[in-house]
Amino acid sequence: MVTCDWLLKYAAMQAAGLARAGADVTLLCRDHAHEFGGDQGERATLLELAGQSNVRILELRGRLWDPRGAASLFALRRQLRRFAPHVT
């Protein structure tokens, strides 16, 4: 599992490379496009490229400390348990 809040450009390509090398890879990232200057399209294209290399994408939505995001955190936790990564 590759995780990041920033430097998604690097993390997504690292995850794609690991997947192409035969690893079962999940990329856990935030849903913001701050490092892309707010350009959601550029971010989506990058994640699509990673997905084409068989990288599973999990996105943590919303603001980090917003209590309304608790439901998505529980769903994310269930997905992470199913994946059960050996290395994060």
Side-chain angles (χ1 to χ4, degrees):
M1 174 172 290
V2 177
T3 64
C4 72
D5 181 23
W6 200 262
L7 300 176
L8 181 58
K9 294 175 184 180
Y10 299 102
M13 292 298 96
Q14 179 187 33
L18 288 167
R20 285 192 301 271
D24 185 14
V25 182
T26 294
L27 173 63
L28 173 62
C29 59
R30 301 297 309 242
D31 68 344
H32 65 71
H34 300 315
E35 73 181 277
F36 299 92
D39 185 345
Q40 287 289 350
E42 182 182 356
R43 180 182 176 282
T45 298
L46 179 69
L47 292 179
E48 184 178 323
L49 289 172
Q52 290 171 358
S53 295
N54 294 320
V55 173
R56 271 189 282 344
I57 310 294
L58 294 178
E59 295 179 278
L60 183 55
R61 302 197 182 281
R63 296 191 179 270
L64 190 57
W65 302 111
D66 188 347
R68 294 174 293 183
S72 67
L73 285 175
F74 291 121
L76 179 63
R77 185 172 179 186
R78 282 191 300 276
Q79 290 176 309
L80 292 175
R81 271 199 195 130
R82 282 192 293 268
F83 181 58
H86 292 280
V87 177
T88 302

